[in-house]
Amino acid sequence: MEPAPQLIHPPGGQDETERHHDASSGGPVPLEDEIAALWGELLDRPEAGAEDEFFALGGNSLTGIQIIERLARDYGVLLSVRDFYLAQTPARVAGLIERGRSST
């Protein structure tokens, strides 16, 4: 059994459960879509979707580390490099984050 991602508390007292809201609907944006948007930003691929694979979008080890650091800061869950690379898609990374959050 693999260990769950580590839950951390972001600096500055940020609430890691805070969700962004979709301006058009006013509702919360699904976590996998938030992560896809982050990938799109850091990979310069705004069309990145929840099922797109990291390396197929042009991801590399440096960008992977940047994403892992942003996920830790924004969501309060520290993913291992191994788990991140094995997950490969924003949807699977979202699942790891949810698993990390629920492990406490």
Side-chain angles (χ1 to χ4, degrees):
M1 179 181 215
E2 292 185 29
Q6 180 182 2
L7 181 65
I8 59 173
H9 299 285
Q14 292 174 303
D15 179 6
E16 68 268 5
T17 62
E18 181 179 313
R19 290 309 252 313
H20 297 95
H21 287 82
D22 182 0
S24 62
S25 70
V29 176
L31 181 57
E32 61 191 31
D33 291 341
E34 290 181 20
I35 295 168
L38 173 63
W39 287 26
E41 174 190 333
L42 293 177
L43 294 169
D44 197 26
R45 301 290 297 263
E47 74 281 3
E51 296 299 329
D52 289 330
E53 292 190 3
F54 178 72
F55 291 108
L57 291 173
N60 59 45
S61 59
L62 179 58
T63 307
I65 297 300
Q66 291 173 325
I67 290 172
I68 291 168
E69 289 174 350
R70 283 278 296 272
L71 294 173
R73 185 187 77 208
D74 294 351
Y75 301 102
V77 175
L78 182 60
L79 302 178
S80 72
V81 173
R82 179 183 186 276
D83 285 345
F84 176 78
Y85 288 147
L86 288 175
Q88 297 185 34
T89 69
R92 289 188 206 129
V93 169
L96 290 174
I97 290 171
E98 293 297 339
R99 194 170 109 208
R101 288 176 173 172
S102 68
S103 68
T104 59

